[in-house]
Amino acid sequence: MKTTGGTDDQKRRAGERAAEAVDDGDVVGLGTGSTAAYAIRALGRAVDDGLDVVGVPTSFDSRQLAREVGVPLRALDEVERIDVAIDGADQLDSRLDAIKGGGAAHAREKVVDAAAERFVVVVDPSKTAETLSRSVPVEVLPDARAAVERDIDALGGEPTLRRAERKDGPVVTDNGNVVLDCDFGAIAEPAALAADLAAVPGVVEHGLFVGLADAVYVGTDDGVEVRTRE
């Protein structure tokens, strides 16, 4: 589920600062969520001022917003490279590992973010923590749900089917799958859990983004704190 917290100004500062890192001629992965949306809007203004970029959206929402603000778009299979991806996170730890998937777009986000030469995460301070502890979204083939729930339980997690807020039934991803929000408590070893989840039959993708972020822009009340992977 989506994380609440942080101010609009903090999110705006992070998103706009990340947009400044985009160079003329870049292919840009366009992330999903309220903070990434500020980066997309900033890119739209830069395009109006003459910046030549192409965006690769990660979700229906990022595609729609990019179209509204005038960012030219291509599908992932239509580009030869992604120079930089800008995306948000639901939680980020001290090692720059992240949990994503509050908007149920983490499968496409991970493909785009992992393909990028540089992956920049934009967050407000409420998303940062020493250790990851939020529930991990897991996208699952609908027919495999019960089997996946048993396997996640065996891994020490508590899976909960994500329910839609304005319709009966579960949330359905852009890929036509369902999402299990899986509570593992504090995650001391994200890489190990990521490997375990990836090995479960029926799992399309999980929301642990381990070792992918190159830099993090944390919007604060006074500016932007930049963190890089050591």
Side-chain angles (χ1 to χ4, degrees):
M1 296 177 288
K2 291 186 178 181
T3 308
T4 58
T7 68
D8 287 340
D9 281 344
Q10 291 169 342
K11 295 175 182 180
R12 175 183 56 77
R13 291 187 182 98
E16 292 180 352
R17 176 69 176 275
E20 293 175 1
V22 176
D23 295 324
D24 199 60
D26 277 353
V27 178
V28 186
L30 304 177
T32 303
S34 57
T35 310
Y38 281 108
I40 296 173
R41 294 188 186 100
L43 286 174
R45 294 191 294 272
V47 168
D48 287 342
D49 290 337
L51 183 69
D52 178 21
V53 297
V54 170
V56 177
T58 58
S59 67
F60 176 86
D61 283 349
S62 62
R63 182 183 302 109
Q64 289 298 104
L65 178 57
R67 285 173 174 168
E68 290 173 11
V69 300
V71 177
L73 296 178
R74 298 288 186 277
L76 181 59
D77 61 1
E78 295 176 330
V79 299
E80 295 182 356
R81 72 186 193 283
I82 297 178
D83 297 290
V84 58
I86 301 172
D87 210 344
D90 297 310
Q91 191 175 51
L92 184 88
D93 71 10
S94 59
R95 295 176 291 191
L96 306 193
D97 293 332
I99 293 175
K100 292 177 50 57
H106 51 287
R108 296 190 186 188
E109 289 171 334
K110 188 176 287 186
V111 171
V112 171
D113 296 345
E117 289 293 322
R118 290 181 296 142
F119 173 32
V120 177
V121 178
V122 290
V123 294
D124 63 75
S126 72
K127 308 301 191 299
T128 63
E130 183 65 25
T131 302
L132 298 178
S133 59
R134 283 184 56 83
S135 293
V136 178
V138 179
E139 183 169 344
V140 176
L141 296 172
D143 288 347
R145 172 191 160 195
V148 171
E149 286 179 334
R150 289 192 293 271
D151 286 340
I152 288 174
D153 183 71
L155 291 173
E158 296 181 8
T160 301
L161 179 67
R162 188 181 299 182
R163 295 279 179 178
E165 294 182 359
R166 298 183 181 180
K167 63 177 283 291
D168 291 336
V171 166
V172 177
T173 71
D174 289 353
N175 307 313
N177 301 311
V178 297
V179 175
L180 299 176
D181 290 308
C182 304
D183 185 2
F184 291 93
I187 303 172
E189 298 294 337
L193 180 57
D196 287 341
L197 290 173
V200 174
V203 168
V204 175
E205 190 54 84
H206 58 77
L208 286 168
F209 283 51
V210 178
L212 292 180
D214 296 296
V216 175
Y217 292 173
V218 183
T220 67
D221 291 335
D222 302 320
V224 177
E225 176 188 345
V226 179
R227 305 178 186 177
T228 57
R229 185 172 295 279
E230 298 178 355

PDB file of all heavy atoms in Angstrom, residues 137-175:
ATOM      1  N   PRO A 137       5.438  -5.643  -1.249  1.00  0.00           N
ATOM      2  CA  PRO A 137       4.437  -6.005  -2.265  1.00  0.00           C
ATOM      3  C   PRO A 137       4.983  -7.110  -3.178  1.00  0.00           C
ATOM      4  O   PRO A 137       6.126  -7.045  -3.635  1.00  0.00           O
ATOM      5  CB  PRO A 137       4.229  -4.706  -3.042  1.00  0.00           C
ATOM      6  CG  PRO A 137       4.719  -3.620  -2.131  1.00  0.00           C
ATOM      7  CD  PRO A 137       5.870  -4.248  -1.390  1.00  0.00           C
ATOM      8  N   VAL A 138       4.164  -8.089  -3.436  1.00  0.00           N
ATOM      9  CA  VAL A 138       4.548  -9.198  -4.307  1.00  0.00           C
ATOM     10  C   VAL A 138       3.456  -9.370  -5.355  1.00  0.00           C
ATOM     11  O   VAL A 138       2.302  -9.664  -5.024  1.00  0.00           O
ATOM     12  CB  VAL A 138       4.737 -10.507  -3.506  1.00  0.00           C
ATOM     13  CG1 VAL A 138       5.109 -11.653  -4.442  1.00  0.00           C
ATOM     14  CG2 VAL A 138       5.799 -10.334  -2.430  1.00  0.00           C
ATOM     15  N   GLU A 139       3.814  -9.166  -6.623  1.00  0.00           N
ATOM     16  CA  GLU A 139       2.845  -9.363  -7.712  1.00  0.00           C
ATOM     17  C   GLU A 139       2.791 -10.842  -8.061  1.00  0.00           C
ATOM     18  O   GLU A 139       3.827 -11.490  -8.259  1.00  0.00           O
ATOM     19  CB  GLU A 139       3.254  -8.538  -8.938  1.00  0.00           C
ATOM     20  CG  GLU A 139       2.252  -8.638 -10.079  1.00  0.00           C
ATOM     21  CD  GLU A 139       2.493  -7.629 -11.193  1.00  0.00           C
ATOM     22  OE1 GLU A 139       3.238  -6.649 -10.976  1.00  0.00           O
ATOM     23  OE2 GLU A 139       1.923  -7.845 -12.281  1.00  0.00           O
ATOM     24  N   VAL A 140       1.575 -11.365  -8.151  1.00  0.00           N
ATOM     25  CA  VAL A 140       1.377 -12.810  -8.240  1.00  0.00           C
ATOM     26  C   VAL A 140       0.380 -13.141  -9.349  1.00  0.00           C
ATOM     27  O   VAL A 140      -0.624 -12.427  -9.528  1.00  0.00           O
ATOM     28  CB  VAL A 140       0.840 -13.350  -6.886  1.00  0.00           C
ATOM     29  CG1 VAL A 140       0.536 -14.840  -6.966  1.00  0.00           C
ATOM     30  CG2 VAL A 140       1.835 -13.066  -5.773  1.00  0.00           C
ATOM     31  N   LEU A 141       0.642 -14.212 -10.084  1.00  0.00           N
ATOM     32  CA  LEU A 141      -0.361 -14.719 -11.027  1.00  0.00           C
ATOM     33  C   LEU A 141      -1.622 -15.086 -10.250  1.00  0.00           C
ATOM     34  O   LEU A 141      -1.543 -15.765  -9.218  1.00  0.00           O
ATOM     35  CB  LEU A 141       0.175 -15.949 -11.758  1.00  0.00           C
ATOM     36  CG  LEU A 141       1.386 -15.742 -12.674  1.00  0.00           C
ATOM     37  CD1 LEU A 141       1.905 -17.085 -13.161  1.00  0.00           C
ATOM     38  CD2 LEU A 141       1.017 -14.847 -13.842  1.00  0.00           C
ATOM     39  N   PRO A 142      -2.798 -14.651 -10.704  1.00  0.00           N
ATOM     40  CA  PRO A 142      -4.022 -14.881  -9.920  1.00  0.00           C
ATOM     41  C   PRO A 142      -4.245 -16.339  -9.541  1.00  0.00           C
ATOM     42  O   PRO A 142      -4.611 -16.643  -8.399  1.00  0.00           O
ATOM     43  CB  PRO A 142      -5.125 -14.350 -10.840  1.00  0.00           C
ATOM     44  CG  PRO A 142      -4.449 -13.297 -11.658  1.00  0.00           C
ATOM     45  CD  PRO A 142      -3.059 -13.815 -11.899  1.00  0.00           C
ATOM     46  N   ASP A 143      -4.022 -17.265 -10.478  1.00  0.00           N
ATOM     47  CA  ASP A 143      -4.284 -18.669 -10.194  1.00  0.00           C
ATOM     48  C   ASP A 143      -3.282 -19.266  -9.208  1.00  0.00           C
ATOM     49  O   ASP A 143      -3.532 -20.348  -8.650  1.00  0.00           O
ATOM     50  CB  ASP A 143      -4.254 -19.483 -11.490  1.00  0.00           C
ATOM     51  CG  ASP A 143      -5.472 -19.205 -12.366  1.00  0.00           C
ATOM     52  OD1 ASP A 143      -6.441 -18.585 -11.867  1.00  0.00           O
ATOM     53  OD2 ASP A 143      -5.453 -19.592 -13.551  1.00  0.00           O
ATOM     54  N   ALA A 144      -2.154 -18.581  -9.017  1.00  0.00           N
ATOM     55  CA  ALA A 144      -1.115 -19.102  -8.123  1.00  0.00           C
ATOM     56  C   ALA A 144      -1.202 -18.522  -6.722  1.00  0.00           C
ATOM     57  O   ALA A 144      -0.379 -18.851  -5.864  1.00  0.00           O
ATOM     58  CB  ALA A 144       0.266 -18.808  -8.711  1.00  0.00           C
ATOM     59  N   ARG A 145      -2.205 -17.701  -6.459  1.00  0.00           N
ATOM     60  CA  ARG A 145      -2.245 -16.957  -5.196  1.00  0.00           C
ATOM     61  C   ARG A 145      -2.148 -17.866  -3.979  1.00  0.00           C
ATOM     62  O   ARG A 145      -1.326 -17.625  -3.084  1.00  0.00           O
ATOM     63  CB  ARG A 145      -3.525 -16.139  -5.135  1.00  0.00           C
ATOM     64  CG  ARG A 145      -3.751 -15.476  -3.787  1.00  0.00           C
ATOM     65  CD  ARG A 145      -5.147 -14.900  -3.678  1.00  0.00           C
ATOM     66  NE  ARG A 145      -5.528 -14.685  -2.299  1.00  0.00           N
ATOM     67  CZ  ARG A 145      -6.775 -14.457  -1.891  1.00  0.00           C
ATOM     68  NH1 ARG A 145      -7.767 -14.402  -2.778  1.00  0.00           N
ATOM     69  NH2 ARG A 145      -7.046 -14.284  -0.615  1.00  0.00           N
ATOM     70  N   ALA A 146      -2.961 -18.895  -3.900  1.00  0.00           N
ATOM     71  CA  ALA A 146      -2.974 -19.734  -2.696  1.00  0.00           C
ATOM     72  C   ALA A 146      -1.633 -20.417  -2.485  1.00  0.00           C
ATOM     73  O   ALA A 146      -1.122 -20.475  -1.352  1.00  0.00           O
ATOM     74  CB  ALA A 146      -4.089 -20.774  -2.796  1.00  0.00           C
ATOM     75  N   ALA A 147      -1.031 -20.925  -3.553  1.00  0.00           N
ATOM     76  CA  ALA A 147       0.268 -21.592  -3.437  1.00  0.00           C
ATOM     77  C   ALA A 147       1.344 -20.607  -3.006  1.00  0.00           C
ATOM     78  O   ALA A 147       2.201 -20.930  -2.161  1.00  0.00           O
ATOM     79  CB  ALA A 147       0.644 -22.247  -4.766  1.00  0.00           C
ATOM     80  N   VAL A 148       1.317 -19.400  -3.568  1.00  0.00           N
ATOM     81  CA  VAL A 148       2.311 -18.394  -3.201  1.00  0.00           C
ATOM     82  C   VAL A 148       2.139 -17.988  -1.740  1.00  0.00           C
ATOM     83  O   VAL A 148       3.125 -17.813  -1.010  1.00  0.00           O
ATOM     84  CB  VAL A 148       2.212 -17.160  -4.127  1.00  0.00           C
ATOM     85  CG1 VAL A 148       3.101 -16.025  -3.613  1.00  0.00           C
ATOM     86  CG2 VAL A 148       2.610 -17.539  -5.551  1.00  0.00           C
ATOM     87  N   GLU A 149       0.909 -17.843  -1.293  1.00  0.00           N
ATOM     88  CA  GLU A 149       0.677 -17.495   0.111  1.00  0.00           C
ATOM     89  C   GLU A 149       1.287 -18.536   1.041  1.00  0.00           C
ATOM     90  O   GLU A 149       1.891 -18.188   2.068  1.00  0.00           O
ATOM     91  CB  GLU A 149      -0.823 -17.359   0.369  1.00  0.00           C
ATOM     92  CG  GLU A 149      -1.436 -16.100  -0.210  1.00  0.00           C
ATOM     93  CD  GLU A 149      -2.926 -16.013   0.044  1.00  0.00           C
ATOM     94  OE1 GLU A 149      -3.573 -17.077   0.197  1.00  0.00           O
ATOM     95  OE2 GLU A 149      -3.444 -14.885   0.086  1.00  0.00           O
ATOM     96  N   ARG A 150       1.171 -19.820   0.692  1.00  0.00           N
ATOM     97  CA  ARG A 150       1.755 -20.876   1.531  1.00  0.00           C
ATOM     98  C   ARG A 150       3.280 -20.770   1.551  1.00  0.00           C
ATOM     99  O   ARG A 150       3.919 -20.921   2.600  1.00  0.00           O
ATOM    100  CB  ARG A 150       1.319 -22.248   1.031  1.00  0.00           C
ATOM    101  CG  ARG A 150      -0.157 -22.558   1.288  1.00  0.00           C
ATOM    102  CD  ARG A 150      -0.461 -24.025   1.048  1.00  0.00           C
ATOM    103  NE  ARG A 150      -0.335 -24.384  -0.361  1.00  0.00           N
ATOM    104  CZ  ARG A 150      -1.333 -24.313  -1.249  1.00  0.00           C
ATOM    105  NH1 ARG A 150      -2.531 -23.879  -0.875  1.00  0.00           N
ATOM    106  NH2 ARG A 150      -1.142 -24.685  -2.502  1.00  0.00           N
ATOM    107  N   ASP A 151       3.874 -20.488   0.390  1.00  0.00           N
ATOM    108  CA  ASP A 151       5.332 -20.382   0.327  1.00  0.00           C
ATOM    109  C   ASP A 151       5.830 -19.162   1.096  1.00  0.00           C
ATOM    110  O   ASP A 151       6.884 -19.214   1.751  1.00  0.00           O
ATOM    111  CB  ASP A 151       5.785 -20.298  -1.137  1.00  0.00           C
ATOM    112  CG  ASP A 151       5.686 -21.638  -1.858  1.00  0.00           C
ATOM    113  OD1 ASP A 151       5.641 -22.672  -1.168  1.00  0.00           O
ATOM    114  OD2 ASP A 151       5.648 -21.642  -3.098  1.00  0.00           O
ATOM    115  N   ILE A 152       5.113 -18.055   1.002  1.00  0.00           N
ATOM    116  CA  ILE A 152       5.520 -16.853   1.740  1.00  0.00           C
ATOM    117  C   ILE A 152       5.389 -17.077   3.238  1.00  0.00           C
ATOM    118  O   ILE A 152       6.246 -16.650   4.022  1.00  0.00           O
ATOM    119  CB  ILE A 152       4.689 -15.643   1.280  1.00  0.00           C
ATOM    120  CG1 ILE A 152       5.141 -15.228  -0.129  1.00  0.00           C
ATOM    121  CG2 ILE A 152       4.827 -14.467   2.251  1.00  0.00           C
ATOM    122  CD1 ILE A 152       4.318 -14.141  -0.755  1.00  0.00           C
ATOM    123  N   ASP A 153       4.348 -17.765   3.638  1.00  0.00           N
ATOM    124  CA  ASP A 153       4.198 -18.109   5.051  1.00  0.00           C
ATOM    125  C   ASP A 153       5.377 -18.958   5.527  1.00  0.00           C
ATOM    126  O   ASP A 153       5.896 -18.752   6.633  1.00  0.00           O
ATOM    127  CB  ASP A 153       2.876 -18.861   5.256  1.00  0.00           C
ATOM    128  CG  ASP A 153       2.614 -19.185   6.714  1.00  0.00           C
ATOM    129  OD1 ASP A 153       2.317 -18.260   7.486  1.00  0.00           O
ATOM    130  OD2 ASP A 153       2.710 -20.371   7.081  1.00  0.00           O
ATOM    131  N   ALA A 154       5.836 -19.872   4.674  1.00  0.00           N
ATOM    132  CA  ALA A 154       6.978 -20.714   5.033  1.00  0.00           C
ATOM    133  C   ALA A 154       8.268 -19.908   5.145  1.00  0.00           C
ATOM    134  O   ALA A 154       9.191 -20.292   5.871  1.00  0.00           O
ATOM    135  CB  ALA A 154       7.144 -21.829   3.999  1.00  0.00           C
ATOM    136  N   LEU A 155       8.326 -18.783   4.436  1.00  0.00           N
ATOM    137  CA  LEU A 155       9.497 -17.901   4.512  1.00  0.00           C
ATOM    138  C   LEU A 155       9.438 -16.957   5.716  1.00  0.00           C
ATOM    139  O   LEU A 155      10.358 -16.162   5.928  1.00  0.00           O
ATOM    140  CB  LEU A 155       9.614 -17.071   3.228  1.00  0.00           C
ATOM    141  CG  LEU A 155       9.980 -17.823   1.960  1.00  0.00           C
ATOM    142  CD1 LEU A 155       9.895 -16.888   0.745  1.00  0.00           C
ATOM    143  CD2 LEU A 155      11.382 -18.427   2.060  1.00  0.00           C
ATOM    144  N   GLY A 156       8.349 -17.041   6.484  1.00  0.00           N
ATOM    145  CA  GLY A 156       8.212 -16.198   7.668  1.00  0.00           C
ATOM    146  C   GLY A 156       7.429 -14.933   7.448  1.00  0.00           C
ATOM    147  O   GLY A 156       7.412 -14.046   8.319  1.00  0.00           O
ATOM    148  N   GLY A 157       6.758 -14.834   6.301  1.00  0.00           N
ATOM    149  CA  GLY A 157       5.971 -13.639   6.009  1.00  0.00           C
ATOM    150  C   GLY A 157       4.491 -13.845   6.266  1.00  0.00           C
ATOM    151  O   GLY A 157       4.018 -14.982   6.351  1.00  0.00           O
ATOM    152  N   GLU A 158       3.769 -12.742   6.390  1.00  0.00           N
ATOM    153  CA  GLU A 158       2.320 -12.767   6.543  1.00  0.00           C
ATOM    154  C   GLU A 158       1.703 -12.074   5.330  1.00  0.00           C
ATOM    155  O   GLU A 158       1.659 -10.843   5.263  1.00  0.00           O
ATOM    156  CB  GLU A 158       1.906 -12.062   7.835  1.00  0.00           C
ATOM    157  CG  GLU A 158       2.409 -12.730   9.102  1.00  0.00           C
ATOM    158  CD  GLU A 158       1.947 -12.013  10.359  1.00  0.00           C
ATOM    159  OE1 GLU A 158       1.108 -11.084  10.232  1.00  0.00           O
ATOM    160  OE2 GLU A 158       2.411 -12.370  11.450  1.00  0.00           O
ATOM    161  N   PRO A 159       1.224 -12.845   4.352  1.00  0.00           N
ATOM    162  CA  PRO A 159       0.682 -12.250   3.132  1.00  0.00           C
ATOM    163  C   PRO A 159      -0.762 -11.803   3.291  1.00  0.00           C
ATOM    164  O   PRO A 159      -1.580 -12.502   3.906  1.00  0.00           O
ATOM    165  CB  PRO A 159       0.792 -13.388   2.115  1.00  0.00           C
ATOM    166  CG  PRO A 159       0.654 -14.629   2.945  1.00  0.00           C
ATOM    167  CD  PRO A 159       1.285 -14.316   4.273  1.00  0.00           C
ATOM    168  N   THR A 160      -1.073 -10.635   2.739  1.00  0.00           N
ATOM    169  CA  THR A 160      -2.436 -10.109   2.730  1.00  0.00           C
ATOM    170  C   THR A 160      -2.767  -9.652   1.314  1.00  0.00           C
ATOM    171  O   THR A 160      -2.020  -8.857   0.732  1.00  0.00           O
ATOM    172  CB  THR A 160      -2.582  -8.915   3.691  1.00  0.00           C
ATOM    173  OG1 THR A 160      -2.245  -9.327   5.015  1.00  0.00           O
ATOM    174  CG2 THR A 160      -4.011  -8.386   3.670  1.00  0.00           C
ATOM    175  N   LEU A 161      -3.857 -10.147   0.770  1.00  0.00           N
ATOM    176  CA  LEU A 161      -4.281  -9.738  -0.556  1.00  0.00           C
ATOM    177  C   LEU A 161      -4.665  -8.261  -0.534  1.00  0.00           C
ATOM    178  O   LEU A 161      -5.464  -7.833   0.304  1.00  0.00           O
ATOM    179  CB  LEU A 161      -5.472 -10.579  -1.017  1.00  0.00           C
ATOM    180  CG  LEU A 161      -6.045 -10.250  -2.400  1.00  0.00           C
ATOM    181  CD1 LEU A 161      -5.045 -10.593  -3.500  1.00  0.00           C
ATOM    182  CD2 LEU A 161      -7.369 -10.996  -2.611  1.00  0.00           C
ATOM    183  N   ARG A 162      -4.089  -7.487  -1.437  1.00  0.00           N
ATOM    184  CA  ARG A 162      -4.414  -6.063  -1.492  1.00  0.00           C
ATOM    185  C   ARG A 162      -5.780  -5.866  -2.138  1.00  0.00           C
ATOM    186  O   ARG A 162      -6.008  -6.273  -3.280  1.00  0.00           O
ATOM    187  CB  ARG A 162      -3.356  -5.271  -2.261  1.00  0.00           C
ATOM    188  CG  ARG A 162      -3.583  -3.761  -2.155  1.00  0.00           C
ATOM    189  CD  ARG A 162      -2.546  -2.977  -2.936  1.00  0.00           C
ATOM    190  NE  ARG A 162      -1.182  -3.216  -2.444  1.00  0.00           N
ATOM    191  CZ  ARG A 162      -0.114  -2.606  -2.944  1.00  0.00           C
ATOM    192  NH1 ARG A 162      -0.260  -1.739  -3.951  1.00  0.00           N
ATOM    193  NH2 ARG A 162       1.090  -2.874  -2.449  1.00  0.00           N
ATOM    194  N   ARG A 163      -6.671  -5.229  -1.406  1.00  0.00           N
ATOM    195  CA  ARG A 163      -8.029  -4.993  -1.869  1.00  0.00           C
ATOM    196  C   ARG A 163      -8.151  -3.617  -2.517  1.00  0.00           C
ATOM    197  O   ARG A 163      -7.514  -2.657  -2.096  1.00  0.00           O
ATOM    198  CB  ARG A 163      -9.015  -5.086  -0.706  1.00  0.00           C
ATOM    199  CG  ARG A 163      -9.106  -6.488  -0.094  1.00  0.00           C
ATOM    200  CD  ARG A 163     -10.001  -7.374  -0.927  1.00  0.00           C
ATOM    201  NE  ARG A 163     -10.093  -8.729  -0.383  1.00  0.00           N
ATOM    202  CZ  ARG A 163     -10.856  -9.693  -0.918  1.00  0.00           C
ATOM    203  NH1 ARG A 163     -11.596  -9.413  -1.979  1.00  0.00           N
ATOM    204  NH2 ARG A 163     -10.876 -10.885  -0.384  1.00  0.00           N
ATOM    205  N   ALA A 164      -8.967  -3.529  -3.547  1.00  0.00           N
ATOM    206  CA  ALA A 164      -9.217  -2.250  -4.193  1.00  0.00           C
ATOM    207  C   ALA A 164     -10.073  -1.378  -3.284  1.00  0.00           C
ATOM    208  O   ALA A 164     -10.909  -1.876  -2.523  1.00  0.00           O
ATOM    209  CB  ALA A 164      -9.912  -2.458  -5.530  1.00  0.00           C
ATOM    210  N   GLU A 165      -9.861  -0.061  -3.364  1.00  0.00           N
ATOM    211  CA  GLU A 165     -10.586   0.854  -2.491  1.00  0.00           C
ATOM    212  C   GLU A 165     -11.926   1.279  -3.064  1.00  0.00           C
ATOM    213  O   GLU A 165     -12.844   1.586  -2.312  1.00  0.00           O
ATOM    214  CB  GLU A 165      -9.727   2.093  -2.225  1.00  0.00           C
ATOM    215  CG  GLU A 165      -8.470   1.792  -1.421  1.00  0.00           C
ATOM    216  CD  GLU A 165      -7.665   3.041  -1.123  1.00  0.00           C
ATOM    217  OE1 GLU A 165      -8.098   4.135  -1.560  1.00  0.00           O
ATOM    218  OE2 GLU A 165      -6.629   2.934  -0.458  1.00  0.00           O
ATOM    219  N   ARG A 166     -12.058   1.316  -4.372  1.00  0.00           N
ATOM    220  CA  ARG A 166     -13.275   1.845  -4.977  1.00  0.00           C
ATOM    221  C   ARG A 166     -13.978   0.832  -5.870  1.00  0.00           C
ATOM    222  O   ARG A 166     -14.758   1.198  -6.745  1.00  0.00           O
ATOM    223  CB  ARG A 166     -12.961   3.107  -5.776  1.00  0.00           C
ATOM    224  CG  ARG A 166     -12.396   4.230  -4.906  1.00  0.00           C
ATOM    225  CD  ARG A 166     -12.163   5.505  -5.679  1.00  0.00           C
ATOM    226  NE  ARG A 166     -11.611   6.543  -4.836  1.00  0.00           N
ATOM    227  CZ  ARG A 166     -11.310   7.773  -5.253  1.00  0.00           C
ATOM    228  NH1 ARG A 166     -11.521   8.100  -6.523  1.00  0.00           N
ATOM    229  NH2 ARG A 166     -10.800   8.654  -4.410  1.00  0.00           N
ATOM    230  N   LYS A 167     -13.683  -0.447  -5.668  1.00  0.00           N
ATOM    231  CA  LYS A 167     -14.366  -1.516  -6.375  1.00  0.00           C
ATOM    232  C   LYS A 167     -14.304  -2.754  -5.510  1.00  0.00           C
ATOM    233  O   LYS A 167     -13.465  -2.876  -4.617  1.00  0.00           O
ATOM    234  CB  LYS A 167     -13.716  -1.799  -7.738  1.00  0.00           C
ATOM    235  CG  LYS A 167     -12.281  -2.290  -7.636  1.00  0.00           C
ATOM    236  CD  LYS A 167     -11.686  -2.641  -8.989  1.00  0.00           C
ATOM    237  CE  LYS A 167     -12.163  -3.968  -9.505  1.00  0.00           C
ATOM    238  NZ  LYS A 167     -11.661  -5.121  -8.733  1.00  0.00           N
ATOM    239  N   ASP A 168     -15.218  -3.680  -5.764  1.00  0.00           N
ATOM    240  CA  ASP A 168     -15.170  -4.958  -5.072  1.00  0.00           C
ATOM    241  C   ASP A 168     -14.007  -5.777  -5.616  1.00  0.00           C
ATOM    242  O   ASP A 168     -13.707  -5.748  -6.804  1.00  0.00           O
ATOM    243  CB  ASP A 168     -16.479  -5.721  -5.283  1.00  0.00           C
ATOM    244  CG  ASP A 168     -17.651  -5.061  -4.577  1.00  0.00           C
ATOM    245  OD1 ASP A 168     -17.401  -4.336  -3.595  1.00  0.00           O
ATOM    246  OD2 ASP A 168     -18.796  -5.250  -5.019  1.00  0.00           O
ATOM    247  N   GLY A 169     -13.370  -6.538  -4.731  1.00  0.00           N
ATOM    248  CA  GLY A 169     -12.302  -7.412  -5.166  1.00  0.00           C
ATOM    249  C   GLY A 169     -10.920  -6.832  -4.977  1.00  0.00           C
ATOM    250  O   GLY A 169     -10.739  -5.771  -4.373  1.00  0.00           O
ATOM    251  N   PRO A 170      -9.917  -7.532  -5.490  1.00  0.00           N
ATOM    252  CA  PRO A 170      -8.533  -7.127  -5.261  1.00  0.00           C
ATOM    253  C   PRO A 170      -8.056  -6.059  -6.233  1.00  0.00           C
ATOM    254  O   PRO A 170      -8.667  -5.816  -7.277  1.00  0.00           O
ATOM    255  CB  PRO A 170      -7.769  -8.435  -5.508  1.00  0.00           C
ATOM    256  CG  PRO A 170      -8.587  -9.131  -6.555  1.00  0.00           C
ATOM    257  CD  PRO A 170     -10.018  -8.811  -6.213  1.00  0.00           C
ATOM    258  N   VAL A 171      -6.947  -5.425  -5.880  1.00  0.00           N
ATOM    259  CA  VAL A 171      -6.226  -4.576  -6.821  1.00  0.00           C
ATOM    260  C   VAL A 171      -5.693  -5.462  -7.946  1.00  0.00           C
ATOM    261  O   VAL A 171      -5.188  -6.560  -7.703  1.00  0.00           O
ATOM    262  CB  VAL A 171      -5.046  -3.874  -6.115  1.00  0.00           C
ATOM    263  CG1 VAL A 171      -4.082  -3.256  -7.129  1.00  0.00           C
ATOM    264  CG2 VAL A 171      -5.570  -2.817  -5.160  1.00  0.00           C
ATOM    265  N   VAL A 172      -5.821  -4.999  -9.168  1.00  0.00           N
ATOM    266  CA  VAL A 172      -5.282  -5.700 -10.333  1.00  0.00           C
ATOM    267  C   VAL A 172      -4.226  -4.806 -10.965  1.00  0.00           C
ATOM    268  O   VAL A 172      -4.476  -3.636 -11.258  1.00  0.00           O
ATOM    269  CB  VAL A 172      -6.385  -6.034 -11.353  1.00  0.00           C
ATOM    270  CG1 VAL A 172      -5.789  -6.708 -12.586  1.00  0.00           C
ATOM    271  CG2 VAL A 172      -7.439  -6.938 -10.710  1.00  0.00           C
ATOM    272  N   THR A 173      -3.028  -5.324 -11.177  1.00  0.00           N
ATOM    273  CA  THR A 173      -1.936  -4.531 -11.725  1.00  0.00           C
ATOM    274  C   THR A 173      -2.148  -4.258 -13.208  1.00  0.00           C
ATOM    275  O   THR A 173      -3.029  -4.838 -13.857  1.00  0.00           O
ATOM    276  CB  THR A 173      -0.592  -5.257 -11.558  1.00  0.00           C
ATOM    277  OG1 THR A 173      -0.549  -6.384 -12.443  1.00  0.00           O
ATOM    278  CG2 THR A 173      -0.410  -5.725 -10.115  1.00  0.00           C
ATOM    279  N   ASP A 174      -1.297  -3.389 -13.768  1.00  0.00           N
ATOM    280  CA  ASP A 174      -1.341  -3.121 -15.205  1.00  0.00           C
ATOM    281  C   ASP A 174      -1.064  -4.378 -16.011  1.00  0.00           C
ATOM    282  O   ASP A 174      -1.392  -4.458 -17.194  1.00  0.00           O
ATOM    283  CB  ASP A 174      -0.292  -2.056 -15.580  1.00  0.00           C
ATOM    284  CG  ASP A 174      -0.669  -0.671 -15.079  1.00  0.00           C
ATOM    285  OD1 ASP A 174      -1.793  -0.501 -14.568  1.00  0.00           O
ATOM    286  OD2 ASP A 174       0.173   0.250 -15.204  1.00  0.00           O
ATOM    287  N   ASN A 175      -0.452  -5.383 -15.367  1.00  0.00           N
ATOM    288  CA  ASN A 175      -0.139  -6.645 -16.043  1.00  0.00           C
ATOM    289  C   ASN A 175      -1.233  -7.694 -15.863  1.00  0.00           C
ATOM    290  O   ASN A 175      -1.089  -8.819 -16.343  1.00  0.00           O
ATOM    291  CB  ASN A 175       1.176  -7.205 -15.496  1.00  0.00           C
ATOM    292  CG  ASN A 175       2.294  -6.204 -15.554  1.00  0.00           C
ATOM    293  OD1 ASN A 175       2.498  -5.555 -16.580  1.00  0.00           O
ATOM    294  ND2 ASN A 175       3.029  -6.052 -14.464  1.00  0.00           N
TER     295      ASN A 175
END
